[in-house]
Amino acid sequence: MIHAAVLNQPNQMLDYQQVALKKPNIGEVEVALKCAALNHRDLWIVLGQYAGIKYPTILGSDGVGEYEGQPVLINPSVEWGSDQRSQGPNYRILGLPDDGTFAEAVVVPKMNLVPKPEHLTWEQAAALPLAGLTAYRVLFSRCQLQRGERVLITGIGGGVALLALQMATAAGAEVWVTSGSDSKIERAVALGAKGGANYRQAGWDKTLRADAEGFDVVIDSAAGDDFGKLVGLCNAGARIGIFGGTAGKINNLSPQIVFWKQISILGSTMGSNADFEAMIRFVTQHEIVPIVDAVFDLADINQALQKMQAGDQMGKIVVRIC
Ligand SMILES: NC(=O)c1ccc[n+]([C@@H]2O[C@H](COP(=O)([O-])OP(=O)(O)OC[C@H]3O[C@@H](n4cnc5c(N)ncnc54)[C@H](OP(=O)(O)O)[C@@H]3O)[C@@H](O)[C@H]2O)c1
């Protein structure tokens, strides 16, 4: 038996309880977990706002731990398939439907394990997999970010957004950000961003245009009513990478701006095994250290989820397991 944080019913917080760990199938192994990390996905699932929710499930997509005594990091993309352009029909994200990492141990395909980058602590490594994979694919595989290009990353307090800032800066891009918090913009500037604007203030897009002119690449996970403003901030030939919809549907997009400026809007989700391996190489080469906002014990996982719901984090919320 192991301790785990289990989603047992709709619209309820998680139960910290003992469960039996499933037996590994062929090609699967058991990893003794040291740390996990939260993603917004976990909160969407707890709130009942996610497709395919089932009960009971152990949530958690990010995990680091030990397999046969070696430190390993888990790729949360399960069975992506062979097509680099998109995931195949058997694709799953660890932590629903398969049991995930908010537990003392997890069973995953052996091929999803990579050695933990040596420059990261357990906590920092746990902050990397899902957010790092998503950030890497949207920036490089989808938007083909080039050195010297000007990038706008929205909602910089988010786990993916912050890793995208670190990666884009390391790749030699000029990065600007938006946030609902002035202090988060200041912290982003300290991490290498050139500047930013507060999306809660009227005219934030005009401020950005005045300060930064236009953008070659925009990385967005908010969508919603402000998406049209992002398109307006694009240079001709720009690429917009979108991987989330935190602010809801896009209602006010002007098609004329999209086609006249030859703008590409590129959806992106997680990433393939090749993306994951490239991400780990990039993070190791540039010694990127994910920003950890807070660390909670596994037994206190609901406090961690409440912190994410409050939205005051800057970076990743990590769960220490043992
Ligand atoms: N497709 C995929 O593979 C994939 C992967 C990961 C995440 N996602 C999605 O991407 C989103 C972010 O995920 P996460 O795990 O990084 O979340 P997170 O760490 O909880 O961060 C969410 C961030 O969203 C930003 N935000 C909220 N309202 C906004 C608005 N109106 N305009 C711009 N930004 C806004 C906030 O930034 P500030 O605090 O700076 O205001 C907040 O920090 C979620 O919707 C998630 O489901 C998708």
Side-chain angles (χ1 to χ4, degrees):
M1 299 289 277
I2 55 163
H3 282 99
V6 185
L7 179 74
N8 280 313
Q9 320 177 43
N11 300 312
Q12 295 258 329
M13 298 308 269
L14 305 181
D15 295 314
Y16 181 66
Q17 62 184 77
Q18 287 217 314
V19 295
L21 184 65
K22 81 160 201 167
K23 294 263 175 289
N25 289 320
I26 293 167
E28 291 182 327
V29 294
E30 180 182 326
V31 176
L33 289 162
K34 294 276 188 192
C35 285
L38 266 63
N39 291 284
H40 216 94
R41 174 181 199 266
D42 305 306
L43 182 60
W44 294 133
I45 295 168
V46 169
L47 296 173
Q49 297 169 13
Y50 202 90
I53 301 176
K54 69 172 186 51
Y55 309 95
T57 300
I58 301 171
L59 303 186
S61 306
D62 284 329
V64 286
E66 286 181 339
Y67 169 63
E68 293 187 336
Q70 297 301 311
V72 291
L73 187 124
I74 302 168
N75 175 0
S77 264
V78 180
E79 292 195 46
W80 175 276
S82 56
D83 189 344
Q84 293 300 316
R85 293 171 304 175
S86 66
Q87 64 274 39
N90 298 327
Y91 181 70
R92 290 147 4 246
I93 300 171
L94 185 62
L96 180 80
D98 302 352
D99 280 341
T101 56
F102 296 163
E104 289 172 328
V106 66
V107 171
V108 291
K110 189 176 179 190
M111 66 179 296
N112 281 49
L113 302 185
V114 300
K116 176 176 90 61
E118 286 179 6
H119 71 287
L120 300 179
T121 64
W122 288 114
E123 287 80 3
Q124 292 161 348
L128 181 63
L130 189 148
L133 176 62
T134 307
Y136 186 90
R137 180 172 173 88
V138 70
L139 276 173
F140 300 113
S141 307
R142 301 292 282 143
C143 291
Q144 298 285 311
L145 178 68
Q146 304 296 317
R147 172 173 290 278
E149 288 192 308
R150 191 176 298 131
V151 187
L152 176 63
I153 302 172
T154 64
I156 201 60
V160 181
L162 207 41
L163 269 159
L165 161 64
Q166 294 174 283
M167 289 180 187
T169 308
E174 179 186 309
V175 183
W176 293 71
V177 302
T178 72
S179 178
S181 149
D182 291 345
S183 67
K184 289 186 186 182
I185 295 172
E186 281 167 25
R187 290 182 63 192
V189 169
L191 286 165
K194 196 95 192 257
N198 188 326
Y199 59 72
R200 294 190 205 279
Q201 287 171 0
W204 63 266
D205 54 324
K206 293 187 181 64
T207 307
L208 264 183
R209 172 157 301 286
D211 291 348
E213 300 176 14
F215 296 95
D216 307 303
V217 171
V218 176
I219 302 297
D220 182 51
S221 64
D225 291 339
D226 277 349
F227 190 83
K229 292 178 183 159
L230 298 179
V231 175
L233 285 166
C234 281
N235 291 333
R239 293 89 73 201
I240 302 177
I242 179 164
F243 64 91
T246 303
K249 290 206 167 106
I250 298 166
N251 293 313
N252 56 354
L253 186 58
S254 164
Q256 286 80 4
I257 301 181
V258 177
F259 65 69
W260 186 251
K261 286 202 203 169
Q262 313 271 355
I263 291 168
S264 303
I265 299 177
L266 301 160
S268 193
T269 280
M270 301 285 288
S272 65
N273 288 7
D275 289 322
F276 193 78
E277 283 158 21
M279 181 275 286
I280 295 290
R281 276 197 303 277
F282 187 88
V283 164
T284 304
Q285 182 194 344
H286 295 280
E287 298 203 333
I288 290 172
V289 177
I291 309 295
V292 174
D293 177 276
V295 182
F296 290 83
D297 287 336
L298 180 59
D300 299 325
I301 185 95
N302 290 323
Q303 289 175 31
L305 285 162
Q306 280 159 356
K307 183 174 175 60
M308 174 165 271
Q309 191 163 18
D312 61 1
Q313 77 275 14
M314 177 83 177
K316 298 291 290 185
I317 300 170
V318 167
V319 178
R320 191 178 292 127
I321 296 168
C322 73

